[in-house]
Amino acid sequence: MVLRNYLRQFLRDVRTQRLRFFMTLFGIVWGTVSVTLLLAFGEGMHRKMAADAKGLGENIVICWPGRTGKPWQGLNKGRAVRMTEQDVERLRTEVPDITAIAPEYSTGSARFVVGKKTLVPYLAGTWPEYADMRSIIPDSGSRFLNATDMERRRRVIFIGHKLKADLFGEQEAVGAGIDIEGTPFLVVGVMQPKGQDSSYRGRDEDTGYIPSTVFRDMFGRTYIENFVFQVGDPTRVERAKKGIIAAAARKFKFDPEDKEAIGMWDTTEMTQFFNTFFMAFRLFLGIVGALTLVVGGIGVSNIMHVVVEERTKEIGVKMALGAKRRTIMGQFMFETFAITLLGAGLGFLITAAICGGFPAQFNQYVGTPRLSLQVSLVTAGVLGAIGFLAGWFPARAAANLNPVQALKYDL
Amino acid sequence: MNGNGRGLIELDDLRKVYDTGKTTVEALRSITLTVRENEFVSIMGPSGSGKSTLMNIIGCLDTASSGSYRLKGEEVSDLDRDRLAEIRNQRIGFIFQNFNLLPSLTAFENVELPLLFKGAPTRERRERTEHLLGQVGLADRMKHRPTELSGGQMQRVAIARALACDPDIILADEPTGNLDTTSGKDIIGLFEELHHAGRTLVVITHDQAIARRTKRIVHIQDGLITSDGPALQG
Ligand SMILES: Nc1ncnc2c1ncn2[C@@H]1O[C@H](COP(=O)(O)OP(=O)(O)O)[C@@H](O)[C@H]1O
Ligand SMILES: [Mg+2]
């Protein structure tokens, strides 16, 4: 009943203060849309970048055996560290933090022939577990390399989706053949398209993968180009890196402090950078948005001061009839929150509509804007605080009026 | 019936000084006055003599600068705002010259307002409000807004509102000042009924005819009581 009275009062104010009310409402709507939309875009971009970074692989480190950079126990610096598949296999048992590891042979000069087409894309030889680490997912109805391929040295190949399009166009590739340097290969899989923002040779979409055993025989290789390992728990990556170097240092006799013997690209450093960057970015967007909201809040406070002024007489009458301070304050706080709530609700709806109707063709550039629960809660909290502050001072001014003076007041 | 009950209102050496910065105005200078239960008192005096100031203090809308005010034996001159609001709500019924009805509310809602502030339950509010509006002869005007009522009707709504929480005392500051003679007589008739029903009333008026219908007349001039005695019934 009290609330119904407040509501009626509020609607009457809206009627008598129409223009001012809509300007105020607009301020809050604008502020809410700014905050939520900025943060939604920030969130969308962060997610897209995180997904793209995952395209290279999650928590992976790529390692290139290089040359020693320091003399060690009477041995010169500048010695090549050359690793075989067996060395890689040994690392798996010697460094327990590692959850997966795979070597890679690669070449950029093998000719692929399909019918009359000839291409020279990237060719890599690796192990089956490579795919999971590198976020390589086979398209439906196809597969990556498997253990039997390895054992039996089958001439099978898995290709990136762009390489597939270049070689086969619209035609089915799985089950078809490719001639590589004169040797016939059977296509067993095509990669599902994925976002990938960085790479260390060609992109996966342009690469063909064959079993390492086949690669070794075909190209007469003994030593691998590089290897990739993954650590399940990102906080153990540093320890795993040290473990790899220590194990290799024992085997190849170099200084465990030697940074050049095995070159490492730790992709988790990039993820950390992204996280820090986006934290700062979001903070910036949040502050910009919050300031817009504060401006809206000042508008609300302003209109409430006018409402109090116009209703001075009424406040006097209510006081004479026995309204207490909190009754008077409650009325004005209610109105402030009603405006804020209405504006915020509209703002959220607009943002939701923009996020929902965001054209898909822009997704690859800025990601999909996303109104997360966290963003919504923070915005709602800021709005609540602004509503409270905007209402508090006019409401207190109203409750502190002298009843006799207020009763004398006439418009 | 010149008030044989105990003192309902007891003012002792009450003073009110308005300090406007440049000048100070002594609106009340040593007022000592007792009003007993079921008295019907009129206060008369020239404009600016301090009648409204006195009424506002008795009505707990304002506080005195010095002196003592006891309402039913309770000292109220040093109570805080919310306590005073409670007293205004439950023990005092105020009637104004310009009615002071809220224009956006219906007659019913205006009368209901003090009951809302008191926190009375819905059913009690409805029954009490309907009963009071019936008592002042406005049972068929409950849904009307003040602008749809005559001056006399508005003042009757205001009287019903003053009675809402069954107050100890009814205070009226020139209640007929804005009314034509006939409506004014109606209002005084209503006051007489209330008096006969056992209520205590204090009425400020300029009108000799009205004052003569009360039981006791207090004259004020320059913030001082100049005479206080039974009205000469005419
Ligand atoms: N708020 C105020 N500030 C200063 N002076 C006031 C105030 N209210 C009333 N007064 C002065 O106090 C005196 C008594 O006023 P009031 O009680 O309204 O007289 P009445 O009701 O008898 O006409 C007058 O001189 C008036 O000017
Ligand atoms: Mg007066």
Side-chain angles (χ1 to χ4, degrees):
Chain A
M1 181 60 204
V2 175
L3 274 185
R4 217 184 77 202
N5 264 353
Y6 284 169
L7 191 64
R8 189 162 40 202
Q9 197 81 249
F10 172 65
L11 293 177
R12 197 192 75 200
D13 286 343
V14 171
R15 247 180 284 126
T16 53
Q17 291 277 331
R18 200 165 294 167
L19 180 66
R20 199 191 293 265
F21 170 77
F22 281 111
M23 305 256 292
T24 308
L25 197 64
F26 179 75
I28 291 291
V29 171
W30 181 260
T32 309
V33 171
S34 316
V35 177
T36 50
L37 210 53
L38 284 174
L39 290 175
F41 270 96
E43 177 90 10
M45 269 169 86
H46 189 188
R47 273 168 186 268
K48 160 125 175 70
M49 295 233 173
D52 286 356
K54 241 192 227 170
L56 180 63
E58 208 173 351
N59 301 336
I60 62 165
V61 179
I62 301 135
C63 309
W64 290 269
R67 284 175 183 279
T68 56
K70 291 179 178 175
W72 177 249
Q73 296 182 339
L75 297 163
N76 287 337
K77 72 175 212 174
R79 283 178 303 122
V81 176
R82 293 201 285 191
M83 292 177 74
T84 62
E85 281 185 57
Q86 285 71 37
D87 295 326
V88 173
E89 191 57 61
R90 206 171 299 120
L91 287 177
R92 188 208 298 282
T93 48
E94 285 177 15
V95 186
D97 287 323
I98 291 176
T99 46
I101 191 165
E104 253 185 289
Y105 301 95
S106 63
T107 172
S109 58
R111 273 176 306 140
F112 285 43
V113 180
V114 172
K116 292 198 175 98
K117 265 186 212 155
T118 300
L119 288 175
V120 188
Y122 295 97
L123 181 66
T126 190
W127 294 350
E129 61 190 291
Y130 181 82
D132 269 356
M133 275 193 286
R134 296 285 328 283
S135 312
I136 291 171
I137 302 166
D139 236 342
S140 62
S142 74
R143 64 171 180 85
F144 195 69
L145 310 171
N146 65 26
T148 323
D149 297 336
M150 297 286 292
E151 252 170 58
R152 303 207 178 144
R153 299 174 188 231
R154 284 184 187 151
R155 296 206 169 85
V156 293
I157 184 163
F158 178 92
I159 56 179
H161 63 276
K162 208 152 152 271
L163 179 56
K164 182 260 169 192
D166 291 344
L167 287 170
F168 295 97
E170 294 293 299
Q171 273 170 319
E172 181 60 55
V174 176
I178 302 176
D179 259 37
I180 300 173
E181 293 289 318
T183 309
F185 275 79
L186 176 72
V187 178
V188 292
V190 177
M191 187 180 79
Q192 230 176 53
K194 67 169 179 177
Q196 182 184 348
D197 62 349
S198 51
S199 55
Y200 53 90
R201 45 165 169 68
R203 284 177 176 268
D204 296 340
E205 59 191 28
D206 296 321
T207 304
Y209 296 92
I210 60 174
S212 63
T213 47
V214 177
F215 194 105
R216 217 162 51 195
D217 291 352
M218 238 177 105
F219 296 93
R221 299 278 183 93
T222 310
Y223 302 112
I224 61 163
E225 214 78 44
N226 59 278
F227 61 96
V228 180
F229 71 87
Q230 188 172 41
V231 181
D233 177 355
T235 60
R236 298 230 173 125
V237 171
E238 278 312 313
R239 213 169 76 182
K241 277 154 71 179
K242 285 212 175 73
I244 293 272
I245 292 183
R250 279 196 300 278
K251 169 90 204 302
F252 297 100
K253 300 198 168 47
F254 62 81
D255 186 346
E257 299 298 314
D258 191 341
K259 296 267 181 267
E260 289 170 44
I262 295 183
M264 283 188 175
W265 178 17
D266 178 357
T267 62
T268 62
E269 281 171 7
M270 191 169 62
T271 313
Q272 267 164 18
F273 168 76
F274 270 136
N275 285 343
T276 316
F277 174 79
F278 271 100
M279 186 73 87
F281 188 54
R282 233 179 294 184
L283 197 67
F284 170 74
L285 293 181
I287 288 171
V288 169
L291 285 180
T292 318
L293 266 183
V294 166
V295 173
I298 291 170
V300 177
S301 195
N302 195 33
I303 196 176
M304 288 319 294
H305 268 295
V306 172
V307 167
V308 168
E309 169 98 7
E310 288 194 336
R311 292 223 304 254
T312 301
K313 173 83 170 191
E314 176 191 313
I315 294 163
V317 172
K318 287 184 170 172
M319 285 176 165
L321 299 179
K324 290 188 185 166
R325 286 169 54 89
R326 66 178 136 85
T327 309
I328 303 287
M329 284 198 73
Q331 174 183 340
F332 292 101
M333 292 305 283
F334 175 88
E335 296 203 12
T336 312
F337 278 117
I339 296 183
T340 312
L341 203 67
L342 203 61
L346 282 173
F348 270 102
L349 279 182
I350 291 171
T351 299
I354 291 175
C355 289
F358 192 72
Q361 66 259 35
F362 295 140
N363 288 359
Q364 54 176 312
Y365 306 114
V366 294
T368 313
R370 194 167 169 285
L371 192 56
S372 69
L373 182 68
Q374 196 192 358
V375 165
S376 308
L377 286 179
V378 168
T379 311
V382 171
L383 277 163
I386 283 174
F388 183 80
L389 287 177
W392 181 261
F393 295 100
R396 209 184 48 174
N400 282 342
L401 282 171
N402 174 321
V404 177
Q405 298 299 327
L407 276 168
K408 279 187 189 156
Y409 197 93
D410 263 311
L411 280 172
Chain B
M1 277 223 8
N2 208 356
N4 296 321
R6 59 197 176 84
L8 182 59
I9 296 167
E10 290 168 304
L11 308 178
D12 187 14
D13 192 22
L14 205 71
R15 289 163 198 269
K16 179 70 179 179
V17 180
Y18 288 112
D19 191 352
T20 57
K22 293 188 203 104
T23 55
T24 54
V25 180
E26 272 192 282
L28 297 177
R29 306 186 283 171
S30 187
I31 297 279
T32 299
L33 178 72
T34 300
V35 177
R36 288 175 226 286
E37 268 176 41
N38 197 26
E39 272 200 288
F40 188 9
V41 185
S42 57
I43 295 177
M44 299 193 76
S47 188
S49 56
K51 304 184 296 294
S52 293
T53 304
L54 178 60
M55 200 65 126
N56 289 338
I57 292 172
I58 295 176
C60 290
L61 277 170
D62 207 350
T63 46
S65 306
S66 71
S68 139
Y69 169 18
R70 280 197 303 273
L71 179 61
K72 254 190 176 171
E74 182 190 5
E75 184 64 50
V76 298
S77 45
D78 49 6
L79 293 178
D80 68 18
R81 284 178 71 115
D82 277 352
R83 258 310 272 146
L84 289 174
E86 241 168 62
I87 290 177
R88 290 196 297 270
N89 182 234
Q90 280 156 49
R91 298 171 62 181
I92 288 167
F94 231 112
I95 295 160
F96 304 90
Q97 178 175 354
N98 56 0
F99 324 126
N100 278 342
L101 299 178
L102 298 190
S104 62
L105 303 185
T106 62
F108 181 94
E109 290 163 341
N110 267 290
V111 175
E112 190 189 25
L113 219 44
L115 293 160
L116 267 176
F117 296 146
K118 184 186 169 190
T122 315
R123 205 181 121 97
E124 185 194 320
R125 289 202 307 267
R126 200 190 59 236
E127 285 172 0
R128 179 91 184 133
T129 304
E130 284 173 357
H131 168 76
L132 286 167
L133 279 168
Q135 196 183 331
V136 298
L138 291 174
D140 56 344
R141 294 285 191 280
M142 295 209 259
K143 291 260 153 47
H144 288 56
R145 285 175 203 280
T147 45
E148 298 158 347
L149 298 172
S150 73
Q153 287 172 328
M154 282 197 270
Q155 197 59 301
R156 279 188 277 159
V157 172
I159 291 169
R161 182 178 66 180
L163 292 169
C165 294
D166 192 18
D168 294 337
I169 182 162
I170 290 173
L171 305 174
D173 191 344
E174 302 198 32
T176 60
N178 281 5
L179 300 179
D180 59 80
T181 330
T182 332
S183 308
K185 277 188 181 144
D186 282 357
I187 296 301
I188 296 307
L190 212 48
F191 283 175
E192 283 177 326
E193 278 176 37
L194 293 173
H195 170 59
H196 290 306
R199 296 205 174 268
T200 313
L201 297 102
V202 179
V203 182
I204 294 177
T205 183
H206 274 124
D207 190 336
Q208 281 291 344
I210 289 171
R212 248 181 270 128
R213 290 172 71 172
T214 65
K215 306 298 172 195
R216 174 182 169 195
I217 302 179
V218 176
H219 279 275
I220 292 187
Q221 199 150 6
D222 290 332
L224 283 169
I225 294 177
T226 52
S227 79
D228 181 357
L232 299 168
Q233 301 295 311

